[in-house]
Amino acid sequence: MSVKNIVKSIIFSNFFLKIFGSTFFFKFFLKNSTVTFLFHEVTDEPSEFQEKYNLNVPPKLFKDQIKMIMNHFNVISADTLLKGNYETPAALITFDDGQKGVYNNAYPILEELNCPSLVFLNMAPIKGEIFWSGLVTYLCNYDNRFIETIINSKENKHKNLNYLNIRPNDIFEYVENNKLIIYKNARKFYGNFMNMDDLKKISKSNLMMFGNHLYKHYNCVSSSNEEIIKNYNLNQQELEKFKNSLKLFSYPFGQKNTCYNEKTNNLIFDLGANAIFTANAENFLNNGKVYHRFSISNKYNSESFLRMMLVIRKII
């Protein structure tokens, strides 16, 4: 058995769960913490994309997870987070992308529970355009011709291309001659998004706020400054049509160094963002402007397991 598997077997043992998943350990390690939780889709019928990348939580489990979080945290709004005057342990509920189940399923549950949240939106797929992350992951996983002629070509083989580092122009040049069928397959792969009418209805609520996730879901590290500036500003213009939009930003993909760095942070702040959110696995550290999030999946199905994983994240 590998060291990794041995560590996993210890962590997921009943003894470890009983100790580190206890209320005592949770209160001791997280009493002064602010945890920003990250969700993506909430549906009973996830797309292949959502299943492959573990991005979905079924509605019933989502409701249970929100109740668990509310039982253990002071759940705050994004405005309260920025002001900084609140009781801890505190939590902020966030979503990335803007897929349809957030409107159909998560939004009514959050309204019922009177739970504030923040949704970082890519406005391109909401306005009917292709979802970049879904397109590029579809091509890199399932389009054999793309894999052979782009990913594994002699010119690119040494670059170790993947869905995170491939340049947008390489994608658009490839799909140009067969766009209709490729886009149709990609849309089926990644599923449905909210539309403008959905956002208008949500904007009437005081509980769910909108933030910026770029117009297209580009990896900022693999994009030029000009591409980032264009996508940030275009997205912000669309968001400002809604009264509940905030100047907050979350990185597409969101991993440190691979998807963001100090240079991209400085650029995003120069564009007017009041805070940045990542999907990086750091232990709830923040400097008041950059927040690292705890990603939630369907494996978080008990309070003790959630407490244990939060404690582990905090102390490692």
Side-chain angles (χ1 to χ4, degrees), residues 235-267:
N235 214 49
Q236 197 62 39
Q237 288 170 17
E238 292 292 337
L239 290 172
E240 286 174 0
K241 295 175 182 178
F242 304 99
K243 66 178 184 179
N244 59 332
S245 68
L246 300 170
K247 290 185 177 180
L248 302 176
F249 178 79
S250 81
Y251 279 110
F253 304 108
Q255 299 303 307
K256 188 175 182 179
N257 298 324
T258 308
C259 306
Y260 75 90
N261 51 40
E262 197 64 32
K263 178 183 174 183
T264 61
N265 282 352
N266 291 336
L267 177 57

Side-chain angles (χ1 to χ4, degrees), residues 21 39 93 130 151 187 198 211:
F39 294 86
I93 307 298
I130 200 73
I151 300 294
R187 290 179 196 277
D198 297 335

Side-chain angles (χ1 to χ4, degrees), residues 5 7 20 51 56 87 90 116 131 146-147 253 261 270 275 294 309:
N5 287 333
V7 172
F20 287 90
E51 287 191 315
N56 179 63
E87 293 182 5
F131 175 45
F146 177 81
I147 294 168
F253 304 108
N261 51 40
D270 286 345
F294 184 90
M309 297 306 291

